[in-house]
Amino acid sequence: MMVRRSVRLIAAVGVAVALAGCAATPITQSLTAAPPPDLPVMAELRDVPFFAQTEYFCGPAALATALKDSGVDTTPDGLAQAIYTPGRQGTLQTEILTGTRRHGRLAIPVAGMVNGIREVADGNPVLVLQNLSLEFMPQWHYAVLVGYDLKARTVVLRSGEIEREMIDMKTLEHTWRRAEFWGIVVAKPEGPVPQSASMVSWLEAALGLERVSRLDDALMAYRTAILKWPEATAPLIATANVLITQGVWADAESVLTHAYNLDQNDPIILNNLANVLLERKKCRQAETMAEAAVAAGGPFLAISNDTLATVRAAPACHQSI
Amino acid sequence: MFNNIKSKSVAVLVIASFVQSVVPIVPAMASVIGNEQVLERQSAADSRSTVEAFMNREDVRAQFKSLGVNPDEATQRVAALSDAEVADLAGRIQSSPAGQGLGTIVGAAVLIFIVLLITDLLGFTHVFGFTNKGSANPG
């Protein structure tokens, strides 16, 4: 039995290795051999602007391209100061992300090449990181994917000093894979939500806006998430948290109440709603919610206990009883 | 003395500006659970459902069986993995062609690769050296 299992395993590994060996670019292979029926054979975003790269400034040039396409008035020179690291003669991925956030846009990660192609088909240019050289001697380069042709097996990039660089799809698969398919699309807080975005990746990008203190943009992005994922509670909780930070208590209460109606056992909703109700001087309701939060338990129990103690000790509440 | 006060106030200013630039997002009230935690929880749940959905696919279950592994037992073991391990798996599934709905013979090779990665991680197989993390008996 053990022997048979091992033989099977070795055979499976052999097949996997052999198949992987004959197709070093499996994604190009699959996409061109059997294109998904819902994907257009070709697309090119001709209106995406171009900024020629100077010196090592491929990061600022690529980000300016993507931001400008999203309606932000910017140039590579304007960005270079904020995102270029002279010591490295280049731009780090995190700097691309923060550069996007500082301009009030969401940086949505694109997981893999198929999603990248799909984004282009949808009208969104994709900022991609490539390793143009080999792994032991990396040569990093940012470019913007703006077109593809499944029949000709080519892609079009805004890259370096070339406005319309056409290369083999296989070449992009190699160079992009060497950068672990790191890529983003730039989205507006009011939407539309790119199809690569999962609810979590959209909310994480919105949290990025909070981190650079763009609260209004973050709020807008969270509200967009409520419309896109109406059954989920996370966008409602996130929206309410911004409203709490801004001191807009009445709105925070109504948004959290909506979340509570969707899920009455979530300790986060119960705890946060208790705090908001307390602030709104609705003491009895606040206490009921805080008690329910403590009863629900979970990793935030200590905070819920705190909330309950605060509600019970609040002077405003003793007056009303 | 004056210098001392001056340098102190400069220091305070510098520290204040530094604190302001790295201050985490804190909700207005101390006992509100903030968005960092909300997202952490959501993201962990998401990764688990991505991996679960992958494990429940017919072709993936068939692959487990052909390796002599009971797919239900594999699913149970995945449930016991840490959040970080599950997040890593979910990332690999999503960025592979097999996770993007490309179902061809090439997709099958990638599928086998990921399934083997999972069986390795769960301790059913030992194909890849790099999944052997911190074994107690060296060699």
Side-chain angles (χ1 to χ4, degrees), chain A residues 5 8-9 19 26-27 111 114-115 199-200 203 210-211 222 234 238 241 249 266 268 271-272 275 300 303 307, chain B residues 25 28-29 31-39 41-43 46 66-68 97 100 102 104 106 109 112 116:
Chain A
R5 197 192 254 196
R8 269 191 198 156
L9 179 60
L19 286 173
I27 301 176
V114 179
N115 287 327
M199 185 178 80
V200 166
L203 294 179
E210 278 192 75
R211 288 204 182 98
Y222 290 138
N241 271 340
W249 300 103
D266 178 359
I268 297 185
N271 175 76
N272 289 6
N275 279 280
F300 305 108
I303 299 177
T307 300
Chain B
I25 306 150
M29 285 181 295
S31 20
V32 168
I33 297 162
N35 281 345
E36 309 264 357
Q37 287 97 316
V38 173
L39 269 182
R41 182 181 70 168
Q42 190 68 41
S43 156
D46 244 43
S66 79
L67 292 172
Q100 296 179 40
L102 289 175
T104 64
V106 179
I112 294 172
L116 283 173

Side-chain angles (χ1 to χ4, degrees), chain B residues 9-33:
Chain B
S9 52
V10 167
V12 167
L13 266 180
V14 168
I15 291 168
S17 66
F18 181 71
V19 167
Q20 197 184 12
S21 69
V22 297
V23 81
I25 306 150
V26 179
M29 285 181 295
S31 20
V32 168
I33 297 162

Side-chain angles (χ1 to χ4, degrees), chain A residues 6-69:
Chain A
S6 306
V7 168
R8 269 191 198 156
L9 179 60
I10 290 164
V13 175
V15 168
V17 170
L19 286 173
C22 70
T25 52
I27 301 176
T28 302
Q29 189 88 359
S30 310
L31 267 178
T32 53
D38 57 330
L39 189 64
V41 176
M42 59 179 295
E44 184 169 349
L45 311 172
R46 293 177 196 281
D47 294 337
V48 174
F50 173 63
F51 296 102
Q53 161 190 350
T54 53
E55 303 262 332
Y56 299 102
F57 285 14
C58 68
L63 182 56
T65 300
L67 283 176
K68 181 114 188 182
D69 184 70

Side-chain angles (χ1 to χ4, degrees), chain A residues 132-212:
Chain A
L132 300 178
S133 182
L134 295 172
E135 264 146 54
F136 62 88
M137 201 180 64
Q139 188 189 338
W140 303 107
H141 179 65
Y142 291 102
V144 181
L145 177 66
V146 297
Y148 69 88
D149 186 333
L150 296 182
K151 259 199 186 131
R153 301 185 171 206
T154 54
V155 293
V156 180
L157 302 162
R158 300 269 181 274
S159 177
E161 292 163 14
I162 309 168
E163 176 161 9
R164 189 172 181 279
E165 184 180 53
M166 188 185 280
I167 61 171
D168 270 2
M169 195 175 275
K170 278 184 185 172
T171 307
L172 177 69
E173 185 170 346
H174 281 300
T175 58
W176 196 7
R177 180 191 303 283
R178 277 184 226 123
E180 294 178 340
F181 290 112
W182 193 90
I184 58 158
V185 288
V186 170
K188 295 178 185 175
E190 65 268 34
V193 177
Q195 58 164 333
S196 301
S198 64
M199 185 178 80
V200 166
S201 73
W202 179 268
L203 294 179
E204 271 168 358
L207 186 64
L209 290 169
E210 278 192 75
R211 288 204 182 98
V212 295

Side-chain angles (χ1 to χ4, degrees), chain B residues 27-92:
Chain B
M29 285 181 295
S31 20
V32 168
I33 297 162
N35 281 345
E36 309 264 357
Q37 287 97 316
V38 173
L39 269 182
E40 223 167 81
R41 182 181 70 168
Q42 190 68 41
S43 156
D46 244 43
S47 296
R48 283 193 190 273
S49 61
T50 298
V51 175
E52 265 167 38
F54 183 79
M55 305 278 292
N56 283 332
R57 273 166 53 166
E58 275 308 311
D59 50 348
V60 174
R61 288 179 68 87
Q63 201 56 59
F64 274 113
K65 279 185 197 152
S66 79
L67 292 172
V69 173
N70 178 347
D72 293 327
E73 196 191 332
T75 307
Q76 277 171 19
R77 287 208 199 175
V78 163
L81 292 178
S82 74
D83 281 355
E85 286 169 324
V86 171
D88 181 55
L89 263 182
R92 283 175 193 275

